[in-house]
Amino acid sequence: MLKHIFRSFFTLIFAALVGSVVVFVLLRQLGGDVVTAMLGKEAAPIDVSYLREELGLNQPLIVQYLNWLGDIARGDLGTSYAMKLDVFTEMMRRLGPTAMLTIGGLIVSVPLSLILGTYSAINAKKIRSGFVDVFTTVGIAVPTFWVGLLFALLFGVRLGWLPTGGYIPFTEDPLQSIRSVILPVAALSLGVTSVFTRYVRTAMLDVMNEDFMRSAMARGRTRRGAAIIHGVRNASIPLVTVAALQFGQLIAGAVVVENVFVLPGIGRLIVISTLGREVVVVQSLAMVLMLIILILNFLVDIAYGFLDPRIRDKESVDV
Amino acid sequence: MKAIQIARKSGRRRGFAFAIVAALAVAACGSSDDASETVEDSTTEETTAPSEEAKSTTLIVTLAQEPASWDYYTVGANALRVPTFYNVSESIVELRPDGTIVPMLAESWEMSADGLVYTFKIRSGVKFHDGTDMDSADVVYSMKINAKSPNSKLSAPHAYVASVTAPDASTVVITLKQPSSTYLKNLGMSAGYVVPENWLDSPDLTLKVMGTGPFVFSDYKADTTLTLTRFEDYWGAKPYFEVIDFRFIDDETAALNGLLAGEYDVVSKVLAEGIERVESFTTDSKFKVQFESANENSFMWLSVKEKAFKDIRVRQAIAHAINREEALAVYDNYADVACLLVIPDAEPYNSDYCPYPYDPEKSKALLKEAGYENLEIDFPFVTVASHPFTMEVLTQQLTAVGIKVNSRGLDLNTWIAETWTGGVYGMGEVRDSADILQWGCKGGRNPLGNPKPGLCIKEFEDQLAKADAFINYDEHLKAMNTLVKTFADLAWVNSIAAVKVPQIMKANVTGIPTVSINNAFDLRTATWGN
Amino acid sequence: MLQLRDVRVVIDGHEIIRIDELDLAPGSRLGLVGESGSGKTMTAKAIAGLLPDESKVSGSVIFEGQDLLTLNDREMSKVRGKRIGFVFQDPARSLNPMMRIGKQVSEAIRIHSDLKGDAVTAKVIDLLHQVQLPEPETLLRRYPHQLSGGQQQRVMIAAAIAADPDLLIADEPTTALDVTVQEEILRLLISLSEERKMSLMFVSHDLGVIRFVCDRVAVIYGGNIVESGRIEDVVAHPMHRYTAALLAANPGMPKDDNFSAFIGKRLQTITGSVPAVGKFPSGCRFRNRCLSATDACSTMPSPITTGNDHRYLCWNPGDRGQS
Ligand SMILES: Nc1ncnc2c1ncn2[C@@H]1O[C@H](COP(=O)(O)OP(=O)(O)O)[C@@H](O)[C@H]1O
Ligand code: SF4
Ligand SMILES: [Mg+2]
């Protein structure tokens, strides 16, 4: 087990390094740099290379990369070029909306997909499951920003129930804070729930064909009872992997939703920083997100053991 | 007329999504009510209860853009000046919307007969927001650093400055190397910014704007809000509002929805996909729509590096291919045709001179004559705001005369790096300041000059230098009139339209000027009316 | 106590089961025998109401006076586990790998009785004792994969009888196990059925195993019950040619309780193989493999019943006539 963890950890670090090089190189493919972004069309016809010099942009790329990596290794995410904001502070400030979105999205979409996917699997051959199929098809096909717009217009403008945008920190006013993320979470959850429902459905259909499901029914479980009590837990093994991948989806969706609902989250920070050529900010954020996703996958690896007693035993034998 | 359909279609595409969303919203409510009517209902409470609102001393204003930082010295974007010029920072003199120049931080001034020496009497009792007193040393410091700024808005007008001195605490003397009819006017804009001595060395330089204006730059949360609070030590008349709550909302749909829902008081600019909704606000008594003269023209220009464009017949052919009337559709007609690089109403030297009116037949003939019947043009465009729609219209019009246009969408900074300052392009289109004086070879904001060596047309350069050097105002105007015509004749740059930017606010908001100086969103006189 | 009448199961247009008559008396042990693919499991599933969704079922399955085919899933779930217990072929796959033994054994108790907490645990421990599993107290905290195949099947049996059903249907319960374990399980089933006065429907492809366990037998082929009767009668006087062929493939079956004598010889193959679904001939399903087939066999034979309810469907019945 220890060896397993050690190896996973090494893979994780290596993946993060490769990822960081990719992000670093890709960012340099964009035209212009932060000096372009600061001066815009107003750049005077004078030599502004001293600005680049001051910001360290004239150093060889490899030096820039290693400097950045060294800072990361010391736990320093750096500062933005133009505003001179500490990336870590800025990230923490923006964690609120993004965390509320992604966690809210998980809280809504995971149970909902489990219910819908299981329902659809139990009634696979019946018309009832068709409604779920329609829901998921629509949910997958309709772009998140569009759903966001619809919600903002319907519940924000027309009915006036909830704010059309903006974010109130939880610490400032918990009730208003939750109100401000209801529509974004709903918009975000629709797509994620739809995709996840399909995974649940597939996993449940596989499980429904298992002999032990028949045994459970033979002991007096209804189809639904067996599905819920025996099916969900067994289906959860393949689903946990998917869920870890879906987390990436969730973050991507959060970027869109943050824009539609004007939530100052991490997603917007990445977009704005990319547009503003704040490469250090983007690199560091990408690194943090990559590490989160990689660590999540690493935890999923371990979670298998806890979910599946067979693997748990096998690993204890291995060591 | 086919082209109009294209432009309209492109507009409709934006409207389409919105229309469906709106339709769904109505349908989802299971009501047969007209959507806009119900929208009114939902906002009735707030808007018909001015007694509640009239008391509010906070004004909530949405801003579409946010600057890279608040370092006024480096950052060129309008986004910095929009919320802060006049509100937070002030200049030596004030340029009024009618073109007159009135005292601001200078109480009075004198110009020597030869137009070379300006003597300013600095206002006493003016405090910076950090509590320090402003004196002539601050002004001298400011003028000296502004002249060295990498931001041409600050530095270009100081090009002819020989010296800046302060004989005493309330006097500043600026000596020019040659007369400049526009120098004083420019001191009413970015070139005249006054900051406290050594502000450039402050750690707060990037984090806030420091000035003497009626509002203090008091709190900024990136991507969220900028809060201005009334400066109680302000030297002049204090504004009505105690707090200006600027919200950064780049998504126009979100901004307009929030306005409809009563969450914001003013949407400061509608530039892109929101254009189509402007009309619905003009007919809604709960709201007021103003059209701000943005001091911006939409124009297209040709790269000096392309061999084909060195032939004036090719440039003329392109100029003749442009149908400006039709292009106004991009702005839902909230714009005026402008053949000259001048804001039609703002400048007295404007005329209706239009050397190359829309004439596709002539365009084709010129191309044939020049031997460029199979001309191909690389056309990078910015993928935000009105640019994609302008691109569609221009592409369509040029294609109609047989030119192959290879358009490619870029994000703003890539576009600037490749087009405005880079030189990797065939033609460009932009909405930008129309100030013709900046188009000189040495003047600054000139994409034709990039990358160096650019295009220096002797005839134009000579006229430009002369026009600025006239001390006599009428002579100056006459020279300017000739200058802009000459520029249009050259057909390197073809102005298309002078754009008006809709501002939408609650009906009882008043006092926001419709002519913007130096891009300022001037809230000094804003208040609740009735 | 269990009577099947005109039970037909059609899947995708193919008639997979067509049983005109099959009876099981209270307290008796009925064997259902046939080659692989002859429809044994389908018959068991039809009784349990666990057929695939797409199947169409008609006829009646009367259990203790109630037609099970008229019940919906919820009503049927009150029959399964409580009144009819089931044990299936592959214990490793029939147990939920992620659930502890104790929970699976107690499942029927928790569903069908009001027992709670320690009372359930006590009953589970008792059941594990009854199926002769060692150290029930620790066993119930274990997971299926930690048990041997024989132990797993004992667990399945314990789970199946947990709610004291009147009938236990065991579908090839020992097929996946090795011979010595098989015998133990079979003896366990016999003793449980005797102690609890529980009827048993025992499904197997192995006539020897059936003979060891059961008092009556029904032979199934192509979804038809081709012959049924007391085990001695059928073995001594097989009337249907398929039964005869089955017996011929297992020559010299002694009539004592020596299990290894019954089991030593695996079923030898009968000429040809069981046709795929839908490929069975009309009339007598065995017709294409039967050495005694005549033209008459192309119509479905009518049933003939002789003494001791020995019933068969064959146009040319015989007594070990083939070979
Ligand atoms: N789910 C199913 N769908 C269609 N046909 C099936 C299905 N399951 C089994 N069958 C067919 O039904 C017939 C009987 O199968 P089964 O009852 O499992 O045989 P046995 O248990 O006697 O080996 C076989 O021909 C088999 O192919
Ligand atoms: S009915 Fe005919 S085919 Fe069928 S078993 Fe009897 S003799 Fe053979
Ligand atoms: Mg079977």
Side-chain angles (χ1 to χ4, degrees):
Chain A
M1 191 73 186
L2 214 66
K3 207 171 90 188
H4 175 73
I5 290 179
F6 188 75
R7 209 175 47 207
S8 299
F9 184 73
F10 189 77
T11 324
L12 187 148
I13 294 296
F14 186 72
L17 278 180
V18 171
S20 73
V21 172
V22 171
V23 171
F24 186 91
V25 171
L26 281 181
L27 279 174
R28 265 68 185 181
Q29 303 310 305
L30 299 172
D33 59 15
V34 68
V35 171
T36 316
M38 282 193 280
L39 293 170
K41 298 193 295 285
E42 320 291 340
I46 57 168
D47 187 11
V48 292
S49 63
Y50 71 94
L51 276 174
R52 296 194 164 85
E53 190 68 50
E54 257 174 37
L55 299 173
L57 293 168
N58 284 345
Q59 288 175 340
L61 286 186
I62 180 77
V63 174
Q64 290 186 41
Y65 177 76
L66 290 177
N67 281 346
W68 169 76
L69 200 64
D71 287 347
I72 291 283
R74 279 191 301 277
D76 177 3
L77 297 185
T79 40
S80 66
Y81 290 120
M83 200 82 77
K84 310 266 183 275
L85 291 177
D86 179 58
V87 177
F88 181 76
T89 315
E90 191 59 11
M91 192 180 81
M92 292 318 281
R93 186 176 79 77
R94 288 169 177 269
L95 203 59
T98 307
M100 284 184 83
L101 273 184
T102 44
I103 292 171
L106 279 177
I107 290 175
V108 171
S109 64
V110 168
L112 201 63
S113 335
L114 284 177
I115 292 168
L116 289 175
T118 307
Y119 180 83
S120 163
I122 296 172
N123 299 299
K125 302 261 159 53
K126 302 192 186 121
I127 295 172
R128 273 180 266 169
S129 78
F131 294 116
V132 176
D133 288 348
V134 170
F135 171 81
T136 58
T137 309
V138 170
I140 290 167
V142 177
T144 305
F145 85 90
W146 211 79
V147 176
L149 278 181
L150 173 69
F151 283 2
L153 210 62
L154 180 57
F155 299 105
V157 177
R158 199 183 141 108
L159 298 172
W161 292 347
L162 293 161
T164 59
Y167 172 73
I168 292 124
F170 192 78
T171 46
E172 229 168 66
D173 185 344
L175 186 75
Q176 290 306 321
S177 176
I178 287 171
R179 270 171 54 87
S180 72
V181 294
I182 288 178
L183 290 182
V185 165
L188 174 64
S189 300
L190 183 65
V192 179
T193 304
S194 300
V195 174
F196 205 58
T197 297
R198 295 226 164 156
Y199 283 118
V200 173
R201 183 189 141 96
T202 311
M204 281 302 291
L205 279 177
D206 286 348
V207 171
M208 293 298 283
N209 286 327
E210 294 280 354
D211 286 355
F212 62 78
M213 295 296 283
R214 185 191 55 194
S215 305
M217 284 189 265
R219 285 177 210 132
R221 289 273 177 225
T222 54
R223 222 176 136 71
R224 184 156 52 120
I228 292 165
I229 289 167
H230 295 267
V232 174
R233 187 153 179 216
N234 278 279
S236 67
I237 294 180
L239 286 180
V240 165
T241 338
V242 181
L245 294 174
Q246 281 288 296
F247 190 74
Q249 270 319 107
L250 212 58
I251 290 181
V255 175
V256 174
V257 170
E258 282 172 14
N259 269 297
V260 174
F261 288 96
V262 211
L263 303 172
I266 308 263
R268 272 188 68 87
L269 182 58
I270 294 179
V271 173
I272 292 170
S273 305
T274 307
L275 292 176
R277 304 295 185 267
E278 286 285 2
V279 289
V280 166
V281 180
V282 182
Q283 280 161 213
S284 295
L285 284 175
M287 188 70 168
V288 170
L289 286 181
M290 269 188 315
L291 283 176
I292 290 177
I293 291 174
L294 289 169
I295 288 171
L296 220 69
N297 279 303
F298 174 68
L299 291 179
V300 161
D301 257 13
I302 295 171
Y304 274 156
F306 286 98
L307 279 173
D308 192 336
R310 287 165 296 187
I311 295 176
R312 205 172 358 180
D313 283 2
K314 200 189 272 168
E315 288 191 343
S316 59
V317 170
D318 277 356
V319 174
Chain B
M1 284 307 98
K2 203 170 148 216
I4 286 193
Q5 281 165 4
I6 297 276
R8 278 262 163 245
K9 220 187 270 165
S10 68
R12 266 203 206 107
R13 200 187 315 130
R14 293 172 280 168
F16 185 62
F18 178 75
I20 294 180
V21 169
L24 282 179
V26 175
C29 277
S31 149
S32 57
D33 287 2
D34 175 50
S36 59
E37 245 174 52
T38 323
V39 167
E40 284 171 25
D41 289 349
S42 69
T43 53
T44 303
E45 271 173 60
E46 286 103 327
T47 46
T48 54
S51 53
E52 258 308 297
E53 256 185 341
K55 279 182 224 141
S56 170
T57 51
T58 298
L59 187 72
I60 306 176
V61 181
T62 72
L63 293 174
Q65 283 152 353
E66 195 170 3
S69 93
W70 295 105
D71 170 5
Y72 86 103
Y73 180 76
T74 312
V75 170
N78 297 355
L80 183 141
R81 298 184 299 275
V82 170
T84 61
F85 195 66
Y86 288 151
N87 295 333
V88 179
S89 42
E90 294 181 312
S91 43
I92 298 182
V93 296
E94 178 176 355
L95 176 63
R96 297 298 302 157
D98 62 4
T100 56
I101 296 165
V102 299
M104 195 164 223
L105 294 178
E107 256 169 9
S108 62
W109 59 90
E110 272 169 29
M111 182 182 72
S112 64
D114 59 4
L116 290 178
V117 182
Y118 288 85
T119 307
F120 295 95
K121 171 102 175 58
I122 302 302
R123 192 181 294 276
S124 62
V126 175
K127 279 189 188 302
F128 284 111
H129 298 149
D130 63 4
T132 58
D133 291 316
M134 183 201 68
D135 62 15
S136 58
D138 297 306
V139 177
V140 171
Y141 170 79
S142 300
M143 292 310 108
K144 283 188 168 163
I145 59 165
N146 288 357
K148 284 185 272 180
S149 168
N151 175 350
S152 67
K153 282 239 173 194
L154 273 69
S155 54
H158 293 289
Y160 300 121
V161 172
S163 70
V164 185
T165 56
D168 62 60
S170 61
T171 310
V172 171
V173 178
I174 299 178
T175 310
L176 302 185
K177 286 182 236 166
Q178 65 179 67
S180 167
S181 59
T182 53
Y183 184 66
L184 195 61
K185 171 184 156 188
N186 277 318
L187 291 186
M189 296 192 281
S190 292
Y193 263 122
V194 176
V195 295
E197 240 179 314
N198 301 321
W199 176 244
L200 279 199
D201 306 323
S202 165
D204 284 344
L205 175 70
T206 59
L207 299 175
K208 57 160 66 169
V209 172
M210 170 58 66
T212 54
F215 292 102
V216 180
F217 187 109
S218 67
D219 187 41
Y220 167 66
K221 289 197 186 72
D223 196 26
T224 314
T225 56
L226 164 63
T227 312
L228 307 185
T229 49
R230 192 164 64 190
F231 184 38
E232 299 304 335
D233 288 337
Y234 184 55
W235 58 267
K238 290 189 189 65
Y240 169 79
F241 287 106
E242 286 168 15
V243 177
I244 304 293
D245 182 356
F246 283 113
R247 306 279 175 88
F248 296 103
I249 299 173
D250 53 9
D251 187 297
E252 279 180 3
T253 307
L256 293 177
N257 284 346
L259 182 69
L260 277 176
E263 293 162 25
Y264 316 127
D265 300 318
V266 182
V267 170
S268 62
K269 280 181 205 291
V270 181
L271 295 167
E273 70 271 12
I275 283 284
E276 301 227 331
R277 292 172 71 183
V278 170
E279 176 147 19
S280 69
F281 285 91
T282 58
T283 55
D284 185 336
S285 63
K286 311 289 182 295
F287 299 101
K288 181 161 82 181
V289 180
Q290 286 185 179
F291 294 94
E292 177 194 334
S293 165
N295 194 30
E296 273 185 1
N297 275 24
S298 154
F299 55 85
M300 58 84 70
W301 79 98
L302 302 168
S303 167
V304 298
K305 293 213 299 186
E306 289 289 325
K307 184 167 153 278
F309 301 150
K310 292 194 171 125
D311 187 332
I312 190 163
R313 289 170 300 182
V314 175
R315 304 199 306 268
Q316 288 169 336
I318 290 169
H320 276 304
I322 297 168
N323 182 344
R324 295 179 172 82
E325 294 284 346
E326 191 182 273
L328 297 187
V330 168
Y331 309 101
D332 243 32
N333 293 309
Y334 302 129
D336 296 314
V337 162
C339 288
L340 302 175
L341 201 57
V342 180
I343 305 299
D345 303 330
E347 300 295 353
Y349 52 82
N350 184 43
S351 68
D352 53 12
Y353 180 73
C354 199
Y356 310 111
Y358 176 54
D359 190 343
E361 291 316 313
K362 193 159 182 189
S363 173
K364 284 186 218 165
L366 280 163
L367 284 173
K368 192 169 179 187
E369 194 187 317
Y372 282 103
E373 281 172 283
N374 299 314
L375 187 62
E376 272 193 44
I377 306 181
D378 171 35
F379 181 17
F381 66 96
V382 188
T383 51
V384 296
S386 55
H387 303 295
F389 308 108
T390 310
M391 181 280 294
E392 277 191 47
V393 171
L394 286 180
T395 303
Q396 216 275 330
Q397 294 177 352
L398 292 176
T399 308
V401 298
I403 297 170
K404 185 165 188 296
V405 179
N406 303 316
S407 57
R408 53 193 173 100
L410 302 174
D411 88 301
L412 180 64
N413 285 313
T414 309
W415 182 86
I416 289 177
E418 286 197 16
T419 307
W420 191 267
T421 61
V424 192
Y425 69 103
M427 88 185 215
E429 180 274 333
V430 74
R431 256 163 97 155
D432 201 57
S433 156
D435 189 352
I436 193 83
L437 291 175
Q438 299 184 353
W439 280 82
C441 223
K442 302 190 277 281
R445 302 163 53 73
N446 178 358
L448 294 177
N450 284 305
K452 285 164 199 57
L455 180 72
C456 295
I457 308 153
K458 195 170 180 316
E459 182 191 5
F460 175 70
E461 292 299 319
D462 289 350
Q463 284 185 15
L464 190 146
K466 238 170 57 197
D468 190 34
F470 279 116
I471 311 169
N472 179 296
Y473 188 63
D474 290 334
E475 281 181 282
H476 163 66
L477 287 188
K478 238 176 83 191
M480 290 298 286
N481 181 285
T482 317
L483 183 67
V484 292
K485 287 177 180 171
T486 306
F487 197 58
D489 287 339
L490 292 169
W492 282 105
V493 176
N494 292 301
S495 177
I496 300 167
V499 184
K500 289 185 179 136
V501 178
Q503 303 175 328
I504 313 182
M505 58 202 81
K506 287 181 178 169
N508 54 346
V509 176
T510 60
I512 297 176
T514 52
V515 175
S516 166
I517 304 295
N518 203 25
N519 305 103
F521 193 71
D522 180 359
L523 292 169
R524 291 174 295 177
T525 56
T527 183
W528 299 114
N530 243 323
Chain C
M1 74 183 319
L2 182 69
Q3 292 143 0
L4 275 68
R5 290 292 179 274
D6 294 318
V7 174
R8 285 188 195 206
V9 177
V10 178
I11 300 179
D12 296 334
H14 300 302
E15 192 178 69
I16 288 179
I17 297 293
R18 182 180 180 174
I19 294 174
D20 59 336
E21 189 180 315
L22 179 66
D23 290 338
L24 173 60
S28 86
R29 294 197 289 272
L30 171 69
L32 187 61
V33 71
E35 285 167 288
S36 177
S38 54
K40 305 182 295 292
T41 298
M42 280 300 189
T43 305
K45 283 184 176 174
I47 296 167
L50 293 175
L51 286 167
D53 285 338
E54 62 271 27
S55 21
K56 296 189 184 71
V57 200
S58 61
S60 55
V61 175
I62 313 287
F63 178 65
E64 293 175 343
Q66 186 179 27
D67 186 354
L68 301 184
L69 293 186
T70 63
L71 304 182
N72 63 25
D73 184 42
R74 180 166 295 279
E75 292 161 340
M76 198 56 207
S77 70
K78 298 203 171 76
V79 175
R80 290 193 299 257
K82 182 170 170 61
R83 293 163 63 196
I84 308 178
F86 295 87
V87 176
F88 299 101
Q89 176 170 353
D90 186 347
R93 297 178 45 126
S94 297
L95 285 164
N96 182 345
M98 311 235 313
M99 195 182 261
R100 293 181 199 280
I101 299 300
K103 271 205 102 172
Q104 301 196 52
V105 173
S106 65
E107 190 161 25
I109 304 169
R110 285 177 286 120
I111 295 170
H112 300 294
S113 78
D114 296 333
L115 290 187
K116 287 211 170 59
D118 289 346
V120 175
T121 313
K123 181 145 190 195
V124 169
I125 289 171
D126 181 45
L127 281 164
L128 293 176
H129 268 302
Q130 286 185 42
V131 295
Q132 296 151 22
L133 279 165
E135 297 180 46
E137 291 83 355
T138 54
L139 197 75
L140 54 80
R141 299 203 45 77
R142 314 194 76 172
Y143 285 95
H145 71 275
Q146 296 166 321
L147 275 58
S148 71
Q151 287 175 319
Q152 286 172 340
Q153 197 58 296
R154 285 171 197 272
V155 169
M156 282 302 291
I157 292 168
I161 62 172
D164 307 313
D166 304 325
L167 169 64
L168 181 69
I169 297 180
D171 184 1
E172 311 233 20
T174 59
T175 307
L177 308 174
D178 64 49
V179 180
T180 47
V181 182
Q182 271 194 49
E183 180 175 356
E184 289 168 24
I185 299 284
L186 295 177
R187 287 190 191 282
L188 173 66
L189 284 172
I190 294 165
S191 67
L192 286 173
S193 112
E194 277 168 358
E195 282 162 21
R196 296 171 158 254
K197 310 226 177 328
M198 179 176 71
S199 307
L200 184 66
M201 181 162 153
F202 188 91
V203 175
S204 177
H205 62 270
D206 191 333
L207 202 46
V209 171
I210 299 268
R211 196 163 172 209
F212 182 74
V213 177
C214 303
D215 43 40
R216 289 187 69 84
V217 68
V219 182
I220 185 166
Y221 183 77
N224 296 164
I225 303 293
V226 294
E227 183 162 6
S228 60
R230 296 196 330 193
I231 188 93
E232 311 87 66
D233 294 345
V234 172
V235 167
H237 306 287
M239 301 307 283
H240 195 279
R241 296 290 171 175
Y242 178 62
T243 316
L246 275 182
L247 278 165
N250 283 277
M253 291 213 309
K255 287 189 186 179
D256 57 38
D257 284 354
N258 185 341
F259 177 77
S260 53
F262 282 103
I263 207 69
K265 330 224 165 26
R266 282 257 140 188
L267 194 64
Q268 287 173 29
T269 46
I270 301 168
T271 324
S273 57
V274 183
V277 188
K279 295 276 160 55
F280 283 98
S282 60
C284 176
R285 299 285 159 98
F286 190 52
R287 183 157 62 94
N288 62 333
R289 297 168 75 191
C290 180
L291 301 178
S292 313
T294 58
D295 289 350
C297 304
S298 57
T299 51
M300 183 59 89
S302 8
I304 297 166
T305 309
T306 60
N308 292 329
D309 282 338
H310 190 169
R311 187 174 190 277
Y312 56 90
L313 294 88
C314 178
W315 291 121
N316 306 304
D319 188 347
R320 291 199 180 204
Q322 280 190 352
S323 59

